[in-house]
Amino acid sequence: SSGINAEYGQVWMYSKNYEIISLENCLDASVPDANSRAFKRVSLWPCHGLGGNQKWHYSATQQIIHAESQLCLSVGDPSKPKLFLDHCDGSAHQMFTFTNIYSQDDFDF
């Protein structure tokens, strides 16, 4: 697990189940229509542990990719940060850096 930038007073974790979690809620996105190019909203919902709309992959290019839609998590205007899904383009608005990355062995449950 690791924290996502807490600059705005939020702490996030990337779980071993590929969830992005804040407190007990997971970053959630509905699968968009395949023909839609509109920006898709993401929201926080209670974690259900089933993957699907709450499953994300962190790529070697520092992108967070929604597993079902293959769209990238993106940030809008930095002065009013809002997250949404958009087609992956490799821009700085789609790059996220995880810090304090630990293996599961680092935790005693």
Side-chain angles (χ1 to χ4, degrees):
S1 298
S2 62
I4 295 178
N5 188 342
E7 180 179 344
Y8 295 99
Q10 299 178 6
V11 176
W12 298 83
M13 283 188 347
Y14 184 59
S15 79
K16 67 178 183 175
N17 295 322
Y18 308 102
E19 301 160 318
I20 298 177
I21 303 170
S22 179
L23 299 174
E24 294 180 7
N25 293 304
C26 283
L27 195 62
D28 190 290
S30 297
V31 177
D33 179 90
N35 297 320
S36 174
R37 292 202 170 268
F39 298 152
K40 301 296 176 185
R41 290 182 181 240
V42 294
S43 56
L44 286 174
W45 284 93
C47 298
H48 52 58
L50 301 174
N53 53 323
Q54 294 182 351
K55 185 174 182 179
W56 304 86
H57 295 289
Y58 185 61
S59 75
T61 56
Q62 298 181 307
Q63 293 171 303
I64 297 174
I65 303 168
H66 184 237
E68 285 192 1
S69 68
Q70 293 298 298
L71 296 174
C72 282
L73 191 63
S74 303
V75 178
D77 179 354
S79 67
K80 299 176 188 171
K82 290 186 180 182
L83 297 174
F84 58 90
L85 292 177
D86 199 4
H87 294 276
C88 300
D89 62 14
S91 71
H93 295 286
Q94 294 180 345
M95 296 178 74
F96 297 84
T97 303
F98 283 85
T99 58
N100 301 324
I101 297 175
Y102 305 100
S103 75
Q104 192 63 32
D105 298 333
D106 292 333
F107 297 94
D108 184 16
F109 292 101

